[in-house]
Amino acid sequence: MKELFTHYNIGHFINQPSNQTEFEIMQFDNMEEPNVDDIHKHTFYEIIWTEKGVSKQTIDYKEYEVLPNSLFFISPNQVHQFEEWKPLKGGTILFTEDFFLLNHNNKDKLFELSFLDNFYANPCIQFDKENFRDIKQTIELISNEHKRHDKSETITQALLHILLAQIQRCIDTQTEKPISKNYLVVFKQFKNLLEQHFTANQTTSFFANHLNITSHHLNLITKNVTGKTSSEVIRARSILEAKRLLTFTDFTVSEIATQLNYFDSSYFAKLFKAETGKTPIVFKNQMSEKYRIR
């Protein structure tokens, strides 16, 4: 399926598209507005920290209010709508998966962080003043290291790992029953597989077989992580793509149903309405008005 959105690397966000940098940290006060489309995808992770001010961010049709003393997380392949940042005090940290895993062979280290690559968690987390102060101190250490003429990639990565561990500790402390790391790893493996195969409209057993676990166990894991069954997660990803196609292409409902392997377009329309509360045509008309698509 043809990609609908422009994928930007970190270089685009410092207005140096050919720059293959894998890490940047910037404060809003010193940041030039990046020359990127308002609606886009990242090839990297972004952490926005907000000390003062309020903004709105939109990820895949969901709007979030970003408040003071908060962090906002954007993961690769999420459709992000660019928002105004000038009134805010804070900044942004951009890093690639390769940078995070530098000198580490185990990708599970990344998967174990519940707030990254989890499309079912709130990407905006507000902290109490004490925890946010500790997080800000680590951000300042990262910023100071990055400004040095002899800056070290190894030190920067180590500080980034400390920051992410601090964030995870805060989340775990606030959570009555933290999700097990093993469950998070398997769920994110499932999510990656789903991203590769969502247009095929596959069943839970298809993904469970690829993960070498039973369908029952996969259901248990997805329910624990997201509160939804595996089938609901699979269907939600399909409906999300349908929303994107309805919004940003001229495809008919029947054509979209076929692309997503629903060969009965009337069944697809009923499923879409059950998931969204709107028919595909009503949704398309509303989005065309919102995004002024002609």
Side-chain angles (χ1 to χ4, degrees), residues 261-278:
N261 268 284
Y262 294 97
F263 293 106
D264 182 343
S265 60
S266 61
Y267 170 75
F268 165 74
K270 287 179 183 177
L271 186 67
F272 187 91
K273 186 174 182 181
E275 287 285 316
T276 67
K278 301 170 185 174

Side-chain angles (χ1 to χ4, degrees), residues 71-294:
L71 300 178
F72 187 81
F73 306 96
I74 306 168
S75 297
N77 289 315
Q78 291 182 313
V79 176
H80 177 228
Q81 187 169 355
F82 190 74
E83 298 289 345
E84 181 65 49
W85 46 263
K86 286 183 180 177
L88 300 174
K89 182 179 180 185
T92 181
I93 298 171
L94 318 173
F95 64 95
T96 65
E97 176 183 304
D98 286 346
F99 183 84
F100 176 89
L101 294 173
L102 184 70
N103 299 321
H104 295 274
N105 295 322
N106 188 0
K107 190 173 180 177
D108 290 355
K109 285 181 65 69
L110 187 61
F111 283 172
E112 288 171 359
L113 297 168
S114 66
F115 51 91
L116 297 180
D117 292 307
N118 188 350
F119 293 15
Y120 297 91
N122 189 334
C124 185
I125 301 174
Q126 191 169 26
F127 298 85
D128 61 38
K129 288 185 178 180
E130 182 178 351
N131 283 325
F132 192 72
R133 184 193 64 226
D134 293 343
I135 285 168
K136 267 290 280 105
Q137 287 175 346
T138 306
I139 290 173
E140 286 170 9
L141 289 173
I142 296 171
S143 181
N144 290 338
E145 177 62 30
H146 196 62
K147 290 174 185 174
R148 292 176 63 106
H149 73 276
D150 59 346
K151 63 185 176 185
S152 163
E153 199 172 55
T154 301
I155 293 174
T156 302
Q157 188 215 37
L159 290 169
L160 175 65
H161 281 207
I162 290 170
L163 173 66
L164 297 175
Q166 282 180 302
I167 296 168
Q168 187 65 63
R169 181 172 62 184
C170 289
I171 292 171
D172 289 345
T173 301
Q174 295 170 8
T175 304
E176 189 172 322
K177 185 181 178 183
I179 300 167
S180 80
K181 290 183 178 180
N182 287 338
Y183 276 17
L184 277 170
V185 169
V186 175
F187 170 72
K188 290 182 180 181
Q189 290 171 343
F190 165 49
K191 186 190 73 68
N192 280 0
L193 277 172
L194 179 57
E195 202 60 33
Q196 297 169 34
H197 298 287
F198 68 88
T199 58
N201 199 14
Q202 294 286 0
T203 63
T204 295
S205 61
F206 170 87
F207 294 102
N209 288 338
H210 275 70
L211 294 168
N212 295 315
I213 59 177
T214 66
S215 296
H216 175 76
H217 192 46
L218 181 56
N219 263 320
L220 180 69
I221 290 169
T222 53
K223 192 81 173 175
N224 191 278
V225 175
T226 70
K228 300 176 184 291
T229 66
S230 302
S231 294
E232 288 172 332
V233 170
I234 294 166
R235 186 163 59 248
R237 180 61 186 90
S238 180
I239 295 300
L240 172 58
E241 196 65 21
K243 287 180 178 180
R244 293 173 176 176
L245 291 167
L246 286 164
T247 304
F248 299 105
T249 74
D250 294 325
F251 294 142
T252 65
V253 173
S254 180
E255 287 170 335
I256 292 171
T258 300
Q259 286 202 43
L260 296 174
N261 268 284
Y262 294 97
F263 293 106
D264 182 343
S265 60
S266 61
Y267 170 75
F268 165 74
K270 287 179 183 177
L271 186 67
F272 187 91
K273 186 174 182 181
E275 287 285 316
T276 67
K278 301 170 185 174
T279 67
I281 294 298
V282 168
F283 180 85
K284 185 177 184 67
N285 290 338
Q286 289 179 348
M287 292 302 105
S288 295
E289 180 66 26
K290 180 175 181 179
Y291 293 103
R292 293 186 175 90
I293 297 165
R294 299 290 180 258

